[in-house]
Each structure stands twice: as structure tokens, then as C-alpha cells.
Amino acid sequence: PTAPPTSKVKNGSKRPHDSPHLWSHPTAAGQRYQLDDPFFVLATKNPIEMEGTYPLPEAQLDRFMFELTMDYLPEEEEVSVVMQTTGTQHEKIEPIYTGEQLVAFQQLVKGVPIAKEIAQFAVRLAAGSRPNGAQGKDFVKEWVNWGAGLRAAQTMVMAAKARAILDGRAFVEEGDIRAVAHPALRHRILVNYRAEAEGTTVDQIIDMLLEDTQVFTS
């Protein structure tokens, strides 16, 4: 059996800290290609098939928006997949949005207002994960080699804005930041040998960060 993979997702929006040519001009077999906006990059990782593969360095991991952990499907859904993929009938894939509409959605998300205190909460979550930082927690200093940088806070705020819209709100709440913290921080926090030896996972560390970090209101 194959273990469920972990996927990292990067959106197609250019960020201030990204080279404008880093993701939109991929090269394959010596041929350079231009990607039109919007685009996204996926990287998959199977935890039991790591031989011959090389982990991405921290700077490249940081450019991915989310790391999503995917488990096996429930039995009913697995049966549905098997039935659909082993027959002669194939569903025709129809586009639901155009690229221009998706770019417009991205601009809509950016326009969602967020209170300074909520943005500060995202910043404090990221800063709290740094073992050598001024806001580094004691458990972080014990279990973490490398913490999240500025892009982590940017990611949490942008994802929280999108979540607010999907929830029918025109503003960001603290719960939006908390809901996206795990996928935004999971690949940006690198645990040390002690954490691995004690069985402490990065998700447990994020849980502790969320419990230990509060929104400060003026």
C-alpha cells in the first residue's frame, strides 16, 4: 500500500518578496515556457518513498502557500472513484471560470479589510515559531530548528481574507487566521532532532502556538 501524500500548493499571485520570473518562466529539457496569470504550482511528497529524492531548501519551501496533508478517502468515496475510473464512460470536464475571472477574484480577496489587531495576530504566530526570535516560545526553543518568516504572516492574512468571503463575510475574524494556521505554517517550521526523538510533530507545535498566542485589542 502507498501512504497518503503531502501536497504543497503555491498560488499564482506574485508577492513582493518573489522574483517576477521565478515561477512564471519554468524551464523543462532546456525549453523555457511562459505561464499566463493565473497559475499555481503543486509539489507532492510521499512519506514512504523518499529514496532518491531531495528535500527543498527552506527558501523554496517558504514560497509555497500551503502544505496540505491528504489522508485516504472514506470507503464510499473510494468505491465511487473505482467505479468512475474503470468504466467506459468519462465525464467531460467543463471550465467554470476564465483566467480573467480568477484574477478578478484575487483582487477581490485583496480588498477584504482586516483589523490591525488581526494582522498583528498573524505576525505574532509566525514570530512565535522562531527559536532565536524575541517572541520565540520556550517550547519552540526546545523543539524547533527554524521558524516561519514574513511570508507566513502574509499567507495567513491572504488565506483568511479568502475564507471570510467564502463564509459570506466582508471582514476577517480571528477564527479565520486560526483556521488557516496549520497549512500555512506546517512547511515553514522545521523541528529538530529532539522533537523527532520525542515524537513531537510540527502540527502539535502549531497547536501550542495557537493556544499560547492571543489577539491584543486596544
Side-chain angles (χ1 to χ4, degrees):
T2 302
T6 298
S7 296
K8 297 180 179 66
V9 182
K10 185 189 185 301
N11 66 357
S13 302
K14 297 181 181 65
R15 300 184 184 178
H17 297 281
D18 284 347
S19 165
H21 304 293
L22 181 63
W23 296 94
S24 60
H25 295 78
T27 301
Q31 179 67 39
R32 194 179 190 191
Y33 300 90
Q34 169 67 46
L35 295 180
D36 295 328
D37 287 337
F39 64 89
F40 66 94
V41 179
L42 293 175
T44 60
K45 178 178 65 175
N46 192 318
I48 67 169
E49 293 182 357
M50 298 301 293
E51 184 176 353
T53 66
Y54 300 90
L56 291 174
E58 291 81 355
Q60 291 188 27
L61 286 175
D62 193 28
R63 287 177 168 85
F64 284 88
M65 183 174 186
F66 280 166
E67 178 175 330
L68 307 175
T69 301
M70 302 172 64
D71 204 345
Y72 293 110
L73 294 172
E75 180 178 319
E76 183 177 345
E77 293 184 21
E78 285 198 5
V79 171
S80 177
V81 170
V82 170
M83 294 294 292
Q84 292 178 34
T85 57
T86 57
T88 57
Q89 293 184 344
H90 299 283
E91 294 290 335
K92 184 179 179 181
I93 300 176
E94 299 285 352
I96 1 183
Y97 302 114
T98 65
E100 291 79 8
Q101 286 175 316
L102 286 175
V103 171
F105 294 159
Q106 290 178 337
Q107 295 304 314
L108 178 66
V109 168
K110 290 181 180 179
V112 174
I114 181 172
K116 181 179 179 180
E117 292 80 7
I118 303 299
Q120 184 183 38
F121 176 55
V123 170
R124 290 175 61 84
L125 277 175
S129 72
R130 303 166 195 161
N132 297 322
Q135 299 183 39
K137 314 294 183 181
D138 289 340
F139 59 86
V140 167
K141 295 175 182 178
E142 182 178 0
W143 288 323
V144 174
N145 263 344
W146 189 263
L150 176 60
R151 282 195 187 94
Q154 291 174 314
T155 290
M156 285 186 280
V157 167
M158 287 298 294
K161 289 184 174 189
R163 186 177 187 271
I165 288 182
L166 290 173
D167 196 41
R169 286 178 283 107
F171 56 91
V172 177
E173 297 178 340
E174 175 186 348
D176 295 317
I177 299 291
R178 291 185 177 276
V180 302
H182 281 82
L185 296 173
R186 188 176 287 133
H187 57 298
R188 292 182 166 97
I189 298 175
L190 304 183
V191 299
N192 58 25
Y193 176 78
R194 181 171 184 176
E196 293 178 350
E198 295 178 1
T200 302
T201 67
V202 66
D203 281 298
Q204 290 173 329
I205 292 173
I206 296 171
D207 285 337
M208 296 172 71
L209 280 171
L210 288 169
E211 183 178 351
D212 200 58
T213 308
Q214 304 299 323
V215 174
F216 288 156
T217 57
S218 55

